[in-house]
């Protein structure tokens, strides 16, 4: 029982107090322990990604299996996951691609059969058979075709042009378009706030309007607006920022202290 | 599938093909693999429009783009994390034979063996997947939470508490105080002069003061305290409004970027 | 008369030019005088000590200015500092300081393999030369040393922070122990918190789930930890009312913690078997892919309530607006100042900054947490008091007070 709850809290206390006192000790030994600990956190985070990917895989397969609404699109997620992984670990050895496209297609078909095996246990054997055949073909191509290879060195997989292409031409358009959606959403959010008609939202919108219009040369009294908006940014804005920052800082400090001292226990779970 | 859905999909498919063909022909002179380039640009435009269609309502194109993006990005970050952190930073420190296999240069250091610990902690975290041993995954969590709590405690105490206090030490009565008589007889009443600066400092001080009062939790906000708290939230709203206005311009420029892509790179309507 | 004037004028001209020629002839004499500059007075009182408040690998050399620096012959252009491992030499130059400077920090790397490596615990001897415009005309000081570098165990420049740490700990422990003894603590009402219960009730009535977004922070961010405690409370009520909860996560470690929290909440509520494992899941670690997926969930599952707590960045408005369009009640709390305005505008209730950190105390009403909230308030009161004191000090020119708050790097 102690192992389950007490030791974790003891660990939190020990490491918390250490980091706290480390700040005051400039000596080298405390410095390298500090750097180590930060590196460790980063590494654990990357290793934890395996848990995340496993969760995504499991949830997607489950959706297909139980035929939840929009289950078809889970295939798209899984295929996207697989194909990017394949590109991330393979690359050209020479100038041409050889049978690489064939390999990719057969390997993806094998993985597709794998999904089917997991999601449709009734026809498991049939899918398993097909999957095995495709996998065999893919492996044969991988062994025999020397124009490309599996790469585990120097991030050659990242330099795989297909990896880059998929990043640049599939991920980037979606990413930047989503970001661009914000412009539309700001307009609708501002409109809704305007209709809300309470003093606080109105104050917010008026201040926003003044700051937004400050660079607009076509307005009447443009210079005056620019002056007012400058004053706004430098005086009340600064005061408010400082008040919020102090509040947040105290909140963070208090919460961090509660966590270290074990007063705040909600994040650890029970049992 | 409903009839309208079928028709819409057919129309989109035809438009896609047309765009691909036209784009490829347009790129014939300039790009090497113009068919592939044509396809990629068309696909990027298709994805852009699919995401933009979200503004109208949820539809199969958006669902496709969303699920594809989720799967691909998860794999992307996994590959990136593997290559840049595990292979380039962690493995070179752990063992030279592993470094040889991955063909990365070994990073020498006196205390490299300590880096086995985060690997161990990462494995403990993965124990989460086993039904019986799940509790041991709390240890690496405790390590991470404790270390960062200690770090954040000190960092925010310094930057959001001490530094903020010392920033408020501004002269409220001019830069050199030589007595009330001297102050009033030497007061410069010009708009850009000393008076404006002093007024701004006073306003900032009052703003910070009332803003902090708004955040008081353990006292009832009535009477003078309540009035000060009201002024505080007004100042905070002005702050938020200024921040809102400031960010809006940035978002609009992103939208302009996307529209430029659609009209310039894809449709070639503008050059 | 004109002739005489003319002759006198010519004579004056001649004498002037002779005098001029003589001064011209004198300037070369001046430059040769420069060539034969006498060496300046050497710097005196050279001291070499370990640089304080550092991790070692550095020695600070100080000296008194040469009397010819700014005074006397005014011939010193810079100082050059030499170092040797033995008092007899050989001395190597380690750097220069401009005229008027009296201090030089000779530091180096702590890595043995580095070119700039400066060993600890080795004795070094220093000499400071006063150098003129002509590099070879210089004078050396006495040899100072031996001095060795070593790391300090306490950085005195950071004492104000230590005082603050101790003060905070004392305040927190004091108020928490007072709360444990049963003292009642008042807290002012927070709109967002009071809405949580109603929101969960609404979801149960409509038979729709609750969406809880933990933000894009990692388990290392304190805002996310605050979000976990709120999640625990919300999940417990959700378990009691038998509503569904959906928790899409951005970070795998956050997913792990969230799973623990929600599962324990179901255990607490006495319904461990109704916990669905897939209610907390990982989406992706890419900002906009995550948002696209959560937006999809909002439009398809149509949750009755959306709760956003934690760290949010540019995607905050995308989430909040989509939720508003889908008709959900939205409660948000974040400490990212740039995103708070978007939440205020698009959500029904927003916890601003510190209110997020107070939320866990509000939802549980545990005396211990309320006590710590009081300590936070005292912290703010302290800020106000110290700020007023500091302004008074600044206006009266009492710099000693403002120096108390200076934290050295």
């Amino acid at each position: 029982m102690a192992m389950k709850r007490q030791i974790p809290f003891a660990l939190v206390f020990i490491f918390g107090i250490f980091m706290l006192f480390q700040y005051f000790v400039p000596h080298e030994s405390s410095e390298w322990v500090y750097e180590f600990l930060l590196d460790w956190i980063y590494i654990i985070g990357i290793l934890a990604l395996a848990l995340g990917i496993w969760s995504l895989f499991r949830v997607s397969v489950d959706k297909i299996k139980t035929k939840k609404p929009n289950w078809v699109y889970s295939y798209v997620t899984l295929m996207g996951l697989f194909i990017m992984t394949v590109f991330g670990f393979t690359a050209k050895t020479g100038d041409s691609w050889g049978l690489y496209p064939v390999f990719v297609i057969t390997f993806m078909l094998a993985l597709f059969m794998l999904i089917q095996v997991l999601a449709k246990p009734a026809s498991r054997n049939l899918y398993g058979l097909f999957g095995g055949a495709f996998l065999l073909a893919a492996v044969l191509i991988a062994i025999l075709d020397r124009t490309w290879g599996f790469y585990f060195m120097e991030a050659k997989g990242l330099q795989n042009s297909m990896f880059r292409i998929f990043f640049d031409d599939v991920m980037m358009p979606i990413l930047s378009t989503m970001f661009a959606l914000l412009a539309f959403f700001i307009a609708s959010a501002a409109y809704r706030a305007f209709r809300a008609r309470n003093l606080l939202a109105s104050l917010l919108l008026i201040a926003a309007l003044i700051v937004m219009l400050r660079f607009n040369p076509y307005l009447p009294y443009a210079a005056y607006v620019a002056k007012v908006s400058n004053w706004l940014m430098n005086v009340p804005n600064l005061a408010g920022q400082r008040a919020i920052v102090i509040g947040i800082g105290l909140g963070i400090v208090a919460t961090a202290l509660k966590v270290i001292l074990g007063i705040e226990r909600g994040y650890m779970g029970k049992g | 599938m409903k009839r309208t859905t079928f028709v819409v999909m057919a129309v989109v498919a035809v438009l896609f093909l047309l765009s691909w063909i036209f784009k490829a022909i347009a790129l014939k002179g300039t790009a090497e693999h113009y068919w592939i380039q044509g396809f990629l640009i068309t696909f990027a435009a298709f994805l852009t429009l699919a995401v933009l269609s979200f503004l109208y309502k949820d539809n199969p194109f958006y669902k496709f783009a969303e699920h594809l993006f989720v799967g691909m990005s998860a794999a992307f970050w996994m590959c990136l994390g593997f290559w840049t952190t595990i292979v380039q930073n962690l493995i070179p420190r752990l063992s030279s034979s592993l470094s040889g296999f991955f063909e990365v240069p070994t990073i020498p250091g006196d205390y490299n063996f300590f880096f086995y610990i985060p690997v161990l902690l990462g494995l403990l975290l993965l124990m989460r997947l086993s039904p019986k041993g799940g509790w041991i995954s709390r240890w690496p969590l405790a390590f991470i939470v404790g270390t960062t709590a200690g770090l954040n405690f000190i960092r925010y105490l310094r930057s959001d508490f001490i530094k903020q206090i010392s920033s408020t030490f501004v002269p409220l009565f001019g830069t050199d105080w030589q007595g009330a008589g001297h102050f009033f007889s030497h007061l410069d009443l010009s708009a850009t002069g000393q008076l404006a600066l002093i007024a701004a400092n006073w306003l900032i001080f009052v703003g910070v003061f009332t803003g902090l009062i708004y955040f008081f939790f353990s006292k009832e906000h009535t009477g003078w305290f309540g009035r000060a708290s009201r002024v505080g939230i007004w100042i905070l709203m002005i702050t938020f409004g200024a921040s809102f206005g400031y960010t809006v311009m940035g978002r609009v420029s992103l939208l302009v970027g996307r529209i430029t892509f659609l009209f310039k790179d894809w449709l070639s309507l503008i050059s | 008369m004109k002739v005489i004037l003319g002759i006198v004028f010519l004579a004056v001209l001649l004498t002037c030019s002779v005098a001029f020629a003589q001064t011209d002839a004198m300037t070369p004499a001046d430059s040769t005088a420069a060539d034969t500059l006498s060496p300046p007075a050497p710097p005196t009182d050279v001291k070499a000590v370990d640089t304080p408040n550092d991790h070692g690998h550095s020695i600070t050399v100080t000296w008194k200015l040469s009397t010819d620096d700014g005074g006397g012959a005014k011939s010193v252009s810079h100082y050059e500092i030499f170092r040797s491992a033995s008092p007899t030499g050989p001395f190597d130059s380690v750097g220069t300081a401009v005229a008027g400077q009296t201090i030089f920090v000779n530091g180096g790397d702590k890595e043995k393999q580095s070119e700039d490596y400066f060993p600890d615990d080795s004795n070094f001897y220093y000499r400071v030369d006063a150098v003129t415009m002509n590099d070879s005309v210089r004078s050396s000081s006495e040899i100072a040393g031996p001095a060795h570098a070593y790391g300090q165990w306490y950085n005195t420049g950071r004492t104000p922070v230590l005082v603050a740490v101790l003060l905070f700990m004392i305040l927190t422990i004091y108020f928490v122990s007072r709360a444990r003894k049963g003292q009642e603590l008042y807290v002012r009402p927070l709109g967002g918190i009071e809405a949580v219960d109603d929101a969960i009730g609404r979801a149960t009535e409509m038979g729709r789930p609750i969406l809880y977004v933990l933000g894009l922070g990692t388990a290392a961010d304190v805002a996310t930890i605050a979000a976990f405690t709120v999640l625990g409370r919300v999940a417990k009520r959700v378990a009691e009312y038998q509503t569904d909860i959906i928790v899409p996560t951005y970070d795998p470690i956050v997913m792990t913690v969230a799973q623990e929290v929600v599962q324990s909440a179901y255990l607490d509520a006495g319904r461990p078997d109704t916990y669905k494992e897939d209610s907390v899941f990982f989406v992706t670690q890419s900002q906009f892919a995550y948002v696209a997926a959560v937006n999809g969930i909002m439009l398809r599952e149509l949750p009755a309530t959306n709760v956003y707590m934690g760290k949010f960045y540019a995607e905050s408005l995308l989430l909040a607006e989509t939720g508003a369009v889908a008709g959900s009640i939205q409660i948000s709390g974040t400490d990212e100042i740039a995103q708070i305005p978007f939440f205020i505008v698009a959500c029904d209730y927003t916890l601003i900054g510190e209110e997020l950190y107070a939320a866990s105390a509000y939802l549980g009403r545990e005396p211990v947490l309320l006590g710590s909230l009081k300590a936070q308030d005292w912290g703010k009161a302290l800020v106000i008091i110290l700020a007023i004191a500091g302004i008074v000090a600044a206006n009266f020119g009492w710099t000693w007070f403002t120096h108390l708050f200076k934290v050295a790097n």
Side-chain angles (χ1 to χ4, degrees):
Chain A
M1 201 50 212
M3 299 279 265
K4 289 194 178 184
R5 289 271 286 174
Q6 312 300 359
I7 294 190
F9 284 122
L11 284 174
V12 169
F13 182 75
I14 292 168
F15 283 109
I17 294 284
F18 172 77
M19 289 306 271
L20 216 142
F21 282 116
Q22 177 282 327
Y23 176 75
F24 299 103
V25 180
H27 198 271
E28 227 176 272
S29 42
S30 105
E31 207 175 66
W32 65 241
V33 180
Y34 168 82
E35 279 160 9
F36 267 160
L37 291 182
L38 290 186
D39 275 340
W40 291 0
I41 292 180
Y42 195 59
I43 291 170
I44 297 174
I46 303 278
L47 291 172
L49 204 49
L51 272 179
I53 303 279
W54 172 249
S55 161
L56 181 65
F57 180 77
R58 218 174 40 84
V59 167
S60 301
V61 166
D62 203 57
K63 274 197 197 150
I64 299 172
K65 197 167 172 180
T66 52
K67 288 240 184 346
K68 292 211 176 95
N70 298 304
W71 58 271
V72 187
Y73 297 98
S74 297
Y75 277 114
V76 176
T77 306
L78 288 169
M79 284 295 137
L81 186 70
F82 292 147
I83 203 163
M84 210 57 172
T85 314
V86 168
F87 287 149
F89 285 94
T90 54
K92 268 195 273 200
T93 42
D95 283 327
S96 77
W97 278 109
L99 286 172
Y100 187 66
V102 183
F103 165 78
V104 172
I105 294 174
T106 37
F107 194 64
M108 293 301 285
L109 282 167
L111 289 169
F112 181 74
M113 291 301 145
L114 170 69
I115 303 174
Q116 294 295 86
V117 161
L118 292 168
K120 297 187 201 302
S123 326
R124 196 187 303 171
N125 297 327
L126 180 66
Y127 289 124
L129 203 64
F130 274 114
F134 285 126
L135 189 63
L136 194 64
V139 167
L140 276 172
I141 298 176
I143 295 175
L144 295 173
D145 189 356
R146 294 275 100 206
T147 54
W148 59 272
F150 275 93
Y151 276 94
F152 288 108
M153 51 191 194
E154 284 299 325
K156 273 255 173 91
L158 289 187
Q159 287 158 16
N160 181 347
S161 51
M162 291 308 290
F163 192 82
R164 295 225 72 87
I165 286 174
F166 266 67
F167 179 75
D168 287 332
D169 292 308
V170 179
M171 285 176 63
M172 279 312 286
I174 305 181
L175 201 148
S176 28
T177 314
M178 291 222 58
F179 217 139
L181 282 180
L182 281 169
F184 289 104
F185 281 142
I186 285 184
S188 74
Y191 177 64
R192 183 171 318 108
F194 178 64
R195 283 180 55 199
R197 288 186 196 285
N198 71 39
L199 172 66
L200 297 179
S202 310
L203 261 177
L204 195 150
L205 280 179
I206 293 170
L209 212 65
I210 295 175
V211 170
M212 271 192 272
L213 294 174
R214 96 192 120 129
F215 289 132
N216 190 335
Y218 300 113
L219 276 181
Y221 307 112
Y224 190 64
V225 171
K227 258 199 188 150
V228 171
S229 86
N230 267 333
W231 176 84
L232 205 77
M233 291 291 283
N234 289 323
V235 182
N237 177 47
L238 184 68
Q241 291 265 350
R242 202 167 275 163
I244 302 174
V245 162
I246 293 176
I248 291 177
L250 283 169
I252 292 182
V253 162
T255 308
L257 189 60
K258 280 189 282 190
V259 164
I260 295 173
L261 294 178
I263 299 172
E264 184 82 73
R265 300 180 154 219
Y267 61 94
M268 196 64 88
K270 301 178 177 120
Chain B
M1 261 200 284
K2 284 205 307 232
R3 216 189 120 110
T4 35
T5 323
F6 187 70
V7 167
V8 167
M9 288 216 159
V11 166
V12 169
V14 166
L15 283 171
F16 191 95
L17 271 168
L18 281 173
S19 157
W20 181 3
I21 295 169
F22 282 130
K23 204 66 201 168
I25 293 172
L27 286 171
K28 197 165 183 176
T30 48
E32 210 188 294
H33 305 286
Y34 49 90
W35 280 109
I36 297 179
Q37 281 293 337
F39 175 79
L40 289 171
I41 295 188
T42 310
F43 195 49
F46 165 74
L47 290 170
T48 303
L49 291 170
V51 174
L52 283 175
S53 69
F54 174 73
L55 289 170
Y56 172 53
K57 70 173 181 179
D58 193 23
N59 59 77
F61 301 113
Y62 175 76
K63 287 182 203 173
F64 174 77
E66 171 208 318
H67 283 84
L68 184 67
F69 194 26
V70 166
M72 289 182 69
S73 58
F76 175 80
W77 286 107
M78 179 180 72
C79 293
L80 204 69
F82 179 75
W83 289 118
T84 52
T85 306
I86 309 282
V87 172
Q88 281 187 340
N89 272 331
L90 180 63
I91 293 203
R93 290 181 212 260
L94 289 186
S95 88
S96 43
S97 49
L98 267 179
S99 310
F101 173 71
F102 282 95
E103 294 184 36
V104 281
T106 327
I107 297 177
D110 292 333
Y111 302 100
N112 272 349
F113 57 86
F114 274 149
F115 276 90
Y116 279 103
I117 299 182
V119 177
L120 180 68
L121 288 174
L123 288 173
L124 287 181
L125 199 61
L126 291 174
M127 293 292 289
R128 176 147 190 86
L129 296 171
S130 98
K132 282 288 167 61
W135 55 270
I136 207 164
S137 66
R138 290 197 191 140
W139 292 18
L141 279 174
F143 162 69
I144 292 177
V145 169
T147 311
T148 47
L151 189 65
N152 284 325
F153 180 67
I154 286 284
R155 189 195 293 173
Y156 284 95
L157 193 62
R158 182 189 161 163
S159 69
D160 286 3
F161 186 68
I162 296 181
K163 233 186 190 156
Q164 292 296 327
I165 296 179
S166 54
S167 306
T168 56
F169 296 163
V170 286
L172 289 181
F173 295 104
T175 44
D176 59 338
W177 176 253
Q178 288 170 24
H182 185 266
F183 173 70
F184 282 110
S185 57
H186 284 82
L187 200 52
D188 174 4
L189 290 171
S190 78
T192 52
Q194 211 189 32
L195 189 64
L197 186 65
I198 293 176
N201 281 341
W202 270 100
L203 199 55
I204 292 177
F205 171 66
V206 168
V208 174
F209 187 71
T210 52
L212 281 177
I213 286 185
Y214 170 76
F215 282 118
F216 266 83
F217 297 110
S218 52
K219 190 167 164 20
E220 221 176 315
H221 286 197
T222 49
W224 279 106
F225 201 75
R227 282 189 208 118
S229 163
R230 280 252 99 194
V231 173
I233 189 70
W234 292 341
I235 302 264
L236 288 175
M237 283 300 143
I238 295 177
T239 309
F240 293 135
S243 174
F244 187 93
Y246 198 73
T247 330
V248 162
M249 303 325 286
R251 305 283 188 250
V252 173
S253 69
L254 285 164
L255 181 65
V256 169
R258 246 16 242 161
I259 296 191
T260 311
F261 163 75
L262 281 179
F263 283 105
K264 183 171 150 198
D265 296 323
W266 181 47
L267 296 176
S268 308
L269 285 177
I270 48 177
S271 56
Chain C
M1 195 58 186
K2 276 188 204 163
V3 173
I4 296 172
L5 275 172
I7 293 173
V8 168
F9 184 64
L10 266 171
V12 168
L13 266 180
L14 271 168
T15 39
C16 281
S17 48
V18 164
F20 196 67
Q22 276 188 330
T23 43
D24 273 348
M26 263 159 55
T27 10
D30 272 346
S31 51
T32 50
D35 283 336
T36 55
L37 254 182
S38 55
T44 52
D45 204 18
V46 179
K47 291 199 180 84
V49 288
D50 168 53
T51 312
N53 293 333
D54 68 345
H55 64 178
H57 307 287
S58 167
I59 290 179
T60 303
V61 184
T62 53
W63 59 91
K64 283 218 175 69
L65 290 175
S66 151
T67 45
D68 289 327
D69 181 347
K74 293 198 176 80
S75 53
V76 175
S77 83
H78 63 274
Y79 297 94
E80 200 172 347
I81 298 95
F82 292 85
R83 179 182 88 187
S84 162
S86 96
T88 46
F91 279 85
D92 300 311
S93 170
V94 286
T96 55
V98 297
Q101 247 188 302
T102 57
I103 187 169
F104 178 79
V105 177
N106 177 218
D109 229 16
K110 63 178 183 185
E111 298 296 330
K112 284 207 190 84
Q113 301 90 344
S114 161
E115 270 178 35
D116 201 18
Y117 176 59
F118 191 110
D120 267 352
D121 299 318
S122 295
N123 277 337
F124 286 112
Y125 297 86
Y126 285 87
R127 185 189 86 207
V128 181
D129 281 3
V131 190
T132 57
M133 301 279 282
N134 183 345
D135 226 23
S136 52
V137 180
R138 52 170 68 209
S139 64
S140 305
S141 66
E142 303 266 312
I143 313 277
H148 65 273
Y150 57 93
Q152 268 66 41
W153 285 99
Y154 176 68
N155 188 339
T156 52
R158 293 180 172 173
T159 309
V161 184
L162 184 63
V163 171
V165 168
L166 292 171
L167 199 65
F168 246 89
M169 281 190 169
I170 293 170
L171 270 177
T172 306
I173 294 174
Y174 172 69
F175 282 111
V176 162
S177 50
R178 245 173 71 169
R180 275 204 175 113
K181 289 187 189 129
Q183 196 204 29
E184 272 294 313
L185 284 164
Y186 166 83
V187 282
R188 73 163 167 93
L190 269 188
I193 302 294
E194 293 175 346
V196 169
D197 262 333
D198 298 332
I200 300 177
R202 180 177 186 257
T204 317
E205 273 168 32
M206 296 169 103
R208 287 177 7 197
I210 293 186
L211 177 70
Y212 194 100
V213 182
L214 281 158
L216 272 66
T218 60
D221 293 313
V222 188
T224 316
I225 296 183
F228 286 140
T229 38
V230 178
L231 173 63
R233 316 268 186 211
V234 169
K236 186 166 174 209
R237 302 238 171 93
V238 155
E240 284 164 5
Y241 293 6
Q242 293 190 311
T243 327
D244 282 333
I245 189 169
I246 305 173
V247 187
T249 56
Y250 173 84
D251 180 270
I253 297 185
V254 169
M255 174 191 79
T256 316
V257 178
Q259 280 171 343
E260 286 263 330
V261 169
V262 174
Q263 200 168 10
S264 312
Y266 272 75
L267 194 72
D268 248 1
R271 293 179 209 270
D273 36 310
T274 51
Y275 168 65
K276 285 183 203 141
E277 237 200 286
D278 286 344
S279 50
V280 181
F281 54 94
F282 174 74
V283 179
T284 176
Q285 212 160 36
S286 167
Q287 183 184 19
F288 285 102
Y290 176 74
V291 170
V294 176
N295 278 353
I297 293 173
M298 280 188 218
L299 292 176
R300 286 157 225 156
E301 309 280 339
L302 290 171
T305 306
N306 297 338
V307 184
Y308 311 112
M309 298 271 169
K311 268 218 170 330
F312 291 88
Y313 304 103
E315 73 293 339
S316 58
L317 188 61
L318 285 173
L319 290 171
E321 263 307 287
T322 313
V325 161
S328 323
I329 295 267
Q330 307 200 96
I331 305 171
S332 61
T334 182
D335 65 349
E336 278 294 312
I337 302 176
Q339 307 309 322
I340 294 177
F342 298 116
F343 276 140
I344 291 178
V345 159
C347 293
D348 301 285
Y349 302 95
T350 308
L351 298 175
I352 302 171
E354 200 187 351
E355 292 173 350
L356 167 66
Y357 294 106
S360 67
Y362 271 82
L363 282 171
R365 296 273 163 172
E366 276 163 27
V368 167
L369 294 178
L370 289 174
S372 130
L373 206 57
K374 198 140 180 83
Q376 268 175 261
D377 275 353
W378 270 93
K380 284 190 280 286
L382 212 64
V383 168
I384 295 177
I385 295 168
L386 289 173
I388 294 177
I391 287 174
V392 167
N395 280 290
F396 279 103
W398 298 339
T399 49
W400 57 268
F401 188 80
T402 49
H403 275 306
L404 285 177
F405 294 89
K406 289 260 184 309
V407 180
N409 257 351

